[in-house]
Amino acid sequence: MNSDIVDLHSFYGTPLGHAVEEAIGMALASIWANIPSERLVGLGYALPWLNRFGADTERVFAFMPATQGALCWPPARPSATALVFDEELPLPDASIDRMLLVHSLEHAENPRETLKEIWRVLSPAGRVVIVVPNRRGVWARFEHTPFGTGRPFSRGQINELLRDANFTPAAWSEALLFPPSHTRTVMRVHNLLERTGRRFWPIFSGVIVVEAQKRLYQGLPVAQRASRRVFVPVLTPQGAGQHAREKRVDLKPAVRRGGAASRSVR
């Protein structure tokens, strides 16, 4: 099940959503290295962290998958949002310095093909930062948060997936060490639980955060892509099908009468 843009936007407007935003922001800050004149793209629903880490960039875009939906961002400036298919990004080769994936890879139709497409658009020194639900964590088992939908990953699975797509994992972090609860008690102590969990039970974090660098100078086998979606434009206006069927029904008696007339002439 994919997360809907309306549900995601609503979740991050709740107290639990704000706590999640803060916890993941801390995990990202621990592995986020500054890149001069950075061109940053967020894929999925990365808006809360694009607002935080995109302030000093040369340019920043928010790409949202077609299965999720999109909303206008930033609200007070010209829109930097695009509705995309994650295996066909509307970018030229080697044009982006860093991509941030949140609520993205776990919903991808083919995660390996998505990462290969990200490899294509990243610059030679480009980096990808991925946030995915942890298979061992509690958050992946409850559907009242966006991390309970899609495909969770273990650290080993992410590591193998990145290496298959020609990325080298460089830094790891964890986030969401507090329980996914809306209760006031958890909200009051979530910062304490997050710091304690990082020290004592990081293996059970709600999400895994990894930064990987694009790997160059390695031959890639030529093979047909596992999935290739083709979008076909619909040229028939809504309601035209019913009108056409009624028109064909009205013509049938006329055709029969015309046939009878032609036989009588002979």
Side-chain angles (χ1 to χ4, degrees):
M1 183 177 65
N2 292 339
S3 295
D4 184 79
I5 188 65
V6 176
D7 297 332
L8 288 166
H9 187 66
S10 299
F11 173 77
Y12 282 101
T14 64
L16 180 59
H18 291 309
V20 168
E21 177 184 344
E22 182 181 353
I24 295 179
M26 292 173 57
L28 290 173
S30 66
I31 62 174
W32 196 276
N34 292 329
I35 301 177
S37 302
E38 178 181 8
R39 293 160 293 179
L40 171 65
V41 172
L43 180 61
Y45 189 82
L47 301 186
W49 305 279
L50 292 181
N51 288 325
R52 176 174 179 176
F53 295 99
D56 299 327
T57 59
E58 176 189 337
R59 63 188 65 183
V60 57
F61 296 100
F63 284 0
M64 300 186 183
T67 54
Q68 169 190 290
L71 52 80
C72 186
W73 177 87
R77 289 177 289 171
S79 178
T81 303
L83 193 68
V84 301
F85 177 43
D86 53 11
E87 294 181 24
E88 297 285 346
L89 298 177
L91 294 169
D93 296 352
S95 58
I96 298 299
D97 298 306
R98 178 156 32 197
M99 289 200 71
L100 172 62
L101 276 65
V102 188
H103 301 299
S104 172
L105 199 64
E106 64 267 31
H107 300 296
E109 183 178 342
N110 190 319
R112 196 167 270 100
E113 293 294 339
T114 298
L115 288 175
K116 287 181 180 178
E117 178 66 2
I118 292 172
W119 189 96
R120 179 187 68 81
V121 302
L122 282 177
S123 63
R127 306 178 184 186
V128 59
V129 181
I130 303 173
V131 179
V132 290
N134 183 8
R135 182 175 294 278
R136 295 182 176 180
V138 177
W139 288 73
R141 290 165 171 78
F142 293 92
E143 295 184 358
H144 67 279
T145 78
F147 302 98
T149 62
R151 181 193 307 107
F153 293 91
S154 66
R155 182 177 287 208
Q157 289 171 330
I158 287 292
N159 184 61
E160 181 180 357
L161 196 60
L162 287 168
R163 293 187 180 277
D164 287 347
N166 275 326
F167 286 99
T168 301
W172 298 84
S173 187
E174 301 85 17
L176 306 187
L177 282 307
F178 58 93
S181 173
H182 292 274
T183 61
R184 293 182 179 179
T185 303
V186 172
M187 291 296 96
R188 283 198 297 265
V189 298
H190 77 273
N191 284 327
L192 176 62
L193 293 173
E194 186 74 13
R195 291 193 299 269
T196 306
R198 285 176 182 271
R199 181 176 180 182
F200 292 106
W201 57 85
I203 195 173
F204 299 112
S205 63
V207 296
I208 299 171
V209 184
V210 57
E211 181 194 49
Q213 191 159 4
K214 181 175 179 177
R215 189 168 62 205
L216 300 176
Y217 312 117
Q218 177 173 345
L220 295 177
V222 178
Q224 186 177 4
R225 296 185 66 163
S227 63
R228 172 76 70 173
R229 184 172 298 178
V230 178
F231 295 95
V232 179
V234 178
L235 302 179
T236 304
Q238 186 176 3
Q242 180 66 23
H243 177 72
R245 286 194 297 272
E246 293 174 354
K247 189 175 182 180
R248 285 197 299 270
V249 171
D250 293 341
L251 288 175
K252 285 180 180 179
V255 172
R256 287 197 295 270
R257 288 195 298 270
S262 62
R263 287 195 297 273
S264 63
V265 169
R266 296 196 191 97

